[in-house]
Amino acid sequence: MRRFVWFALLVLALGLSGCKPKQIAARPDRAKVLRSAVSLSPGATELMLTHASSVCRLVGRTAADDYPVSAVNPIEVVASVKPNYERLAALKPDLVVYDAALFSQEDIDKVKSVTGATVFAIQANTIDDFTKEMYVLGSMVAAESNFNSYVNKIIAEVGASKSEPFSPVPKVAVILPGDSGRDYIAGTKSFVASAVEAAGGQPVGPEDTKFVAVNPESLVALNPDVIVVSGSKLNMQGVLALLKNPRYQTLSAIKNNRVRAIDEDVLIRRGTRVDQLIKAMHQSIAPGGGA
């Protein structure tokens, strides 16, 4: 299994109320023009390349970045497990965008000291807060229109899910199967859990903002109606192990054949495919559905 560690700046008073399209207002007080950026997480790379590349050039990325493929390959790798501070200092980007779950404050302070850059943290644990962060980021890089269009796609998918509610509301566990027999479950305060709620399900798991290790006894006690798993080819062995685990055979999700897969990167990245995540989640937890 690809190991994940994925998973406050100014927040605008905007939300998803009414699921109506919104407009990002340009910031007339934009103090600094941000022309170059470095991404320190795959989700941040997706966002910058998809929505900001025409106004803020991405000059550095992480070794794990793979989407969008055609745009990622020419960009210099400046971070793996840790940032390459020497290369960051040489590039001197105007902006550094990163996932707050990946780095300590000490790491970010050092990034700031060697680059002098503005930094932006992606740290939302709800769909609503994520859209607020997108408004802020779009305003920072003068790409309000692009980010507005993306936010409206997210809002549209939430609205579509709400228009087709489930009764009863299914209990949903989101599992990352481990390659060593240890599985991980999304906490009910996590971003993925918020996607489950947006898609019309009830997330079950520990009260946490991250994926945490789960033992069979705990999962049996939760007894989810649906299990959503990472669908990466890298961990299909883990998926099969979960399905065949004799300790899981009493689970409603397994007895009723309601184990569904969503692409790993769509599932765990806070990036440019959150609208796809909500749609795939709604399809996955629908009776007889699949992503």
Side-chain angles (χ1 to χ4, degrees):
M1 180 186 73
R2 181 187 301 172
R3 283 220 182 260
F4 67 92
V5 281
W6 310 339
F7 314 80
L9 275 174
L10 173 67
V11 175
L12 301 182
L14 297 168
L16 297 177
S17 58
C19 294
K20 297 179 181 178
K22 298 180 182 284
Q23 297 293 325
I24 305 173
R27 273 197 338 200
D29 62 336
R30 195 179 284 120
K32 181 179 179 181
V33 178
L34 304 174
R35 297 299 188 193
S36 64
V38 160
S39 164
L40 298 182
S41 70
T45 296
E46 292 184 9
L47 289 166
M48 295 303 294
L49 286 177
T50 304
H51 305 299
S53 60
S54 63
V55 290
C56 187
R57 185 168 64 97
L58 194 66
V59 296
R61 65 177 179 90
T62 82
D65 299 353
D66 57 8
Y67 183 87
V69 175
S70 60
V72 164
N73 292 334
I75 301 170
E76 180 179 352
V77 173
V78 296
S80 183
V81 177
K82 288 284 188 178
N84 183 329
Y85 298 109
E86 182 178 344
R87 290 307 303 151
L88 288 172
L91 289 171
K92 290 196 176 300
D94 298 321
L95 174 68
V96 175
V97 187
Y98 67 100
D99 190 310
L102 293 174
F103 300 101
S104 68
Q105 188 58 50
E106 182 180 0
D107 292 326
I108 299 307
D109 287 343
K110 188 167 183 179
V111 168
K112 291 166 67 175
S113 71
V114 301
T115 63
T118 299
V119 298
F120 182 85
I122 301 169
Q123 55 191 353
N125 285 319
T126 68
I127 300 296
D128 191 24
D129 284 345
F130 182 76
T131 64
K132 295 173 185 177
E133 289 183 348
M134 295 303 97
Y135 286 129
V136 177
L137 183 57
S139 183
M140 288 176 67
V141 298
E144 291 90 349
S145 179
N146 292 345
F147 279 88
N148 179 76
S149 295
Y150 177 42
V151 168
N152 286 339
K153 287 182 180 179
I154 296 172
I155 292 172
E157 290 301 338
V158 174
S161 293
K162 287 183 177 179
S163 71
E164 298 178 353
F166 303 122
S167 182
V169 176
K171 295 186 298 180
V172 182
V174 181
I175 303 290
L176 295 183
D179 53 8
S180 59
R182 171 169 284 192
D183 301 321
Y184 295 82
I185 186 171
T188 58
K189 301 297 183 181
S190 67
F191 184 73
V192 173
S194 182
V196 170
E197 293 175 334
Q202 175 191 343
V204 295
E207 191 171 328
D208 206 299
T209 60
K210 304 180 293 296
F211 279 87
V212 297
V214 60
N215 58 55
E217 292 76 18
S218 296
L219 190 56
V220 168
L222 293 170
N223 196 27
D225 302 305
V226 181
I227 296 176
V228 174
V229 296
S230 159
S232 168
K233 293 180 181 179
L234 294 176
N235 65 11
M236 284 308 295
Q237 184 176 352
V239 173
L240 293 173
L242 182 147
L243 291 172
K244 295 179 180 179
N245 190 326
R247 292 178 292 182
Y248 289 155
Q249 299 311 303
T250 60
L251 292 174
S252 293
I254 290 181
K255 288 194 298 183
N256 297 320
N257 194 28
R258 298 190 69 185
V259 178
R260 305 288 184 258
I262 294 178
D263 177 83
E264 180 179 285
D265 292 341
V266 173
L267 186 63
I268 66 175
R269 290 182 182 178
R270 293 182 281 199
T272 196
R273 292 176 282 180
V274 171
D275 58 319
Q276 296 178 37
L277 169 60
I278 296 168
K279 181 176 182 177
M281 190 69 73
H282 183 79
Q283 293 172 341
S284 296
I285 66 181

